[in-house]
Amino acid sequence: MTSALAFVQELSSPDLDWLFREADDQRLAAGAVIIEEGALPDSLFLVMEGVFSVRYRVAGPLPVAKLGPGELVGDMSFLDGLGASASVVCDEPARVLRLARAVLADQLAADGGFASRFYRALAVTNAARLRATVGALGVRLHHAGAAGGGEAFDRVRLASAEGLERFKTLMAAVDRDALANHGDVPDVRREEVRQTFDQLAIQLNQLTGTHSALPDGLKEQIGRTVQRELLPYLLLTQNGERMYAKPRGYAGDYLTIGWMYDNVPAGTGRLGPLLDECLLAQPAAQAVRNRRGILRDEIHAVIEARGAAPARVCSLACGPAREVLDVFQGLDDPTQLCATLIDIDSEALDHVRRAVDAAGLSARVTLVQGNLLHLAAGRQKVDLPPQDLIYSIGLVDYFGDKHVVALLDFIHRALAPGGRVILGNFHADNPSRGLMDWLLDWRLIHRTEEDMDRLFTASAFGRPCTDVCIEPAGVNLFAACRKEGG
């Protein structure tokens, strides 16, 4: 998702207007093939809804990657004029914007400014993809060591290797104990595993996180080394496997967030559930659970402030929307709240719809499938009465500054006078950043309180946040602001 957003962020608003005007909006059935391996695509595709699999013939039937909303497909063949290196197949009913190769070629020839921005956007997008691929293959790892890492490089490599070896040795011993104990792991061993895993995560963040003084090449070498060594263990866990595989196109999908809320470890074999327990105890997972309570309290505060009038609350990128269901469960009178839940993922909305229907709340909850970038740009409309509270947690971490400001402008228009916005963002001091970046390939845009003030000031709110807080795990910050008037 991050590399695809890089493409959109390089284009101007008129460029995007042209793209959406000229592209065909197509609905596709599950199993539809939009790119055929070996064939030269006649179009570029921008995924709007649904999930696609990338498949290579030599790799057999299993997909080698998943693509979700926002991804650009077919751009490599457009650049080099060669047949596609892989097939791209719909996993489920999907929607794409299809831009004909000939139409694009004509626009590039006619408008030099557009051509410059478009090719730069492709270059930035593919550089991000290449950086990830090269890192995964370890090519830059070798280069970083050979290009003068020297004694300092060797010391860091030795320290990280010792931590990995200690962890792997412990895992082997714990597995033998569990095997001899009918699959059960003694409590003393569980605590030892937990502490060792925590120490490894702390060390990884110290070496590769926001405040590491190491050069980028060395940080990448350490991160990729740790991932290669720990990936076999990670794939035994329920949560780590899903975050790494990203079956909905991104790590923090509605089911992953729901599992974090439930906090019930699961996995494969004797070690899987034990290691899943370690992941669920990490600050990032704690932060997800913390934010559920924080948002529940915020919604209750709005309801109390509104008195007899119903409170109107909107969640952007709602995911499982557990905080909203929590609030309704605690209300004596459900007419006190009117909730609008917006998400791009149809599967997430179906999940929420079942919960809403089971609770008898369908008259109080409106579900909207929407692309928030398009809503912010006015390319998609939603019937949204003036809102008392609009919040988004786990979304703007993927957006560059320009799109965060556009989203804030949309929110400002949708708020009632005196209404409040809350944006959640992973903080730059996130203690789980090393683990997220390297072990899970879950890379986000981390921001500080000053960053959020700058974004709010640049938006229609025209001033810094009225308040900013950080949840107890020190991972998520919540930046809030009121719309003037009322």
Side-chain angles (χ1 to χ4, degrees):
M1 180 184 287
T2 305
S3 63
L5 285 172
F7 171 78
V8 177
Q9 289 167 179
E10 291 296 329
L11 299 179
S12 68
S13 292
D15 295 339
L16 292 172
D17 290 339
W18 177 87
L19 190 155
F20 284 96
R21 185 173 62 251
E22 296 297 328
D24 294 328
D25 195 331
Q26 295 187 341
R27 297 276 179 180
L28 303 170
V33 179
I34 62 170
I35 300 286
E36 184 75 47
E37 183 176 348
L40 180 64
D42 64 356
S43 303
L44 274 70
F45 299 88
L46 187 64
V47 178
M48 305 297 289
E49 299 169 14
V51 176
F52 292 73
S53 288
V54 179
R55 302 179 185 273
Y56 294 92
R57 294 192 189 102
V58 295
L62 293 177
V64 298
K66 295 283 188 176
L67 305 177
E71 293 288 350
L72 184 67
V73 184
D75 51 303
M76 290 299 294
S77 290
F78 178 81
L79 286 170
D80 62 19
L82 301 176
S85 58
S87 295
V88 180
V89 184
C90 291
D91 287 353
E92 59 189 42
R95 175 172 161 245
V96 298
L97 289 181
R98 176 181 176 273
L99 181 62
R101 185 187 185 95
V103 172
L104 176 59
D106 288 345
Q107 177 68 2
L108 291 170
D111 187 338
F114 171 80
S116 175
R117 292 185 295 274
F118 182 83
Y119 282 120
R120 174 175 169 77
L122 289 186
V124 170
T125 301
N126 284 289
R129 292 172 180 165
L130 181 61
R131 186 181 296 274
T133 302
V134 169
L137 292 173
V139 174
R140 278 196 65 186
L141 180 156
H142 173 75
H143 177 74
E151 184 179 344
F153 166 80
D154 290 335
R155 285 199 305 269
V156 171
R157 181 173 60 180
L158 179 60
S160 59
E162 288 174 348
L164 288 170
E165 192 59 35
R166 185 163 53 250
F167 176 80
K168 290 159 63 178
T169 300
L170 176 61
M171 289 297 98
V174 169
D175 193 49
R176 286 194 299 271
D177 290 350
L179 186 59
N181 198 33
H182 308 290
D184 292 332
V185 178
D187 288 344
V188 64
R189 279 299 207 186
R190 302 181 78 87
E191 182 58 27
E192 188 178 2
V193 170
R194 170 93 168 257
Q195 291 182 8
T196 303
F197 189 91
D198 287 350
Q199 291 168 2
L200 200 58
I202 290 169
Q203 182 188 43
L204 181 60
N205 197 58
Q206 289 172 339
L207 294 174
T208 67
T210 302
H211 301 295
S212 170
L214 297 177
D216 289 344
L218 184 51
K219 285 197 279 188
E220 184 164 343
Q221 171 166 7
I222 294 166
R224 293 301 179 187
T225 299
V226 171
Q227 186 187 59
R228 284 197 301 275
E229 294 291 330
L230 295 187
L231 190 57
Y233 299 97
L234 175 77
L235 297 181
L236 295 175
T237 70
Q238 174 179 262
N239 284 273
E241 194 281 333
R242 186 173 180 90
M243 285 185 274
Y244 178 78
K246 303 172 183 59
R248 304 303 298 166
Y250 55 102
D253 65 40
Y254 77 97
L255 188 56
T256 304
I257 298 301
W259 285 345
M260 290 186 190
Y261 287 155
D262 295 338
N263 198 20
V264 178
T268 303
R270 293 175 293 276
L271 296 179
L274 176 58
L275 292 172
D276 208 35
E277 182 180 326
C278 294
L279 279 175
L280 288 170
Q282 289 300 298
Q286 293 178 31
V288 169
R289 294 189 288 274
N290 289 340
R291 77 190 193 194
R292 178 181 178 180
I294 290 171
L295 293 170
R296 181 180 61 231
D297 293 345
E298 291 284 351
I299 297 171
H300 273 301
V302 173
I303 293 172
E304 184 176 346
R306 291 288 291 166
R312 297 189 179 277
V313 174
C314 178
S315 173
L316 306 178
C318 66
R322 294 275 188 90
E323 70 284 351
V324 174
L325 297 170
D326 290 345
V327 172
F328 273 114
Q329 189 174 24
L331 291 177
D332 294 329
D333 180 7
T335 64
Q336 292 177 277
L337 176 62
C338 181
T340 301
L341 309 179
I342 303 176
D343 204 289
I344 197 171
D345 188 349
S346 60
E347 193 172 291
L349 293 174
D350 287 343
H351 173 84
V352 176
R353 183 177 290 108
R354 289 191 292 270
V356 167
D357 291 346
L361 297 170
S362 56
R364 309 305 307 165
V365 178
T366 301
L367 301 177
V368 178
Q369 185 172 12
N371 184 315
L372 290 168
L373 286 176
H374 298 163
L375 287 171
R379 298 186 183 92
Q380 182 179 351
K381 303 295 182 183
V382 59
D383 184 15
L384 195 63
Q387 299 292 298
D388 301 303
L389 172 66
I390 300 178
Y391 65 89
S392 180
I393 310 297
L395 171 69
V396 299
D397 324 78
Y398 291 98
F399 288 2
D401 287 359
K402 179 174 72 174
H403 291 292
V404 176
V405 171
L407 183 66
L408 282 170
D409 290 344
F410 164 77
I411 291 171
H412 189 271
R413 293 192 297 270
L415 282 174
R420 193 160 178 257
V421 58
I422 301 174
L423 287 189
N425 205 107
F426 274 72
H427 195 279
D429 291 335
N430 171 16
S432 293
R433 182 169 187 174
L435 186 148
M436 292 173 64
D437 279 0
W438 299 111
L439 190 56
L440 300 171
D441 277 336
W442 188 357
R443 292 180 181 82
L444 299 171
I445 299 172
H446 289 68
R447 293 187 169 98
T448 64
E449 295 89 336
E450 293 76 18
D451 291 329
M452 302 308 289
D453 279 339
R454 174 174 49 79
L455 294 172
F456 274 85
T457 301
S459 75
F461 286 90
R463 56 178 172 150
C465 312
T466 50
D467 55 281
V468 181
C469 70
I470 301 175
E471 48 72 39
V475 173
N476 280 137
L477 65 78
F478 300 87
C481 197
R482 287 195 181 277
K483 180 175 179 177
E484 293 182 337

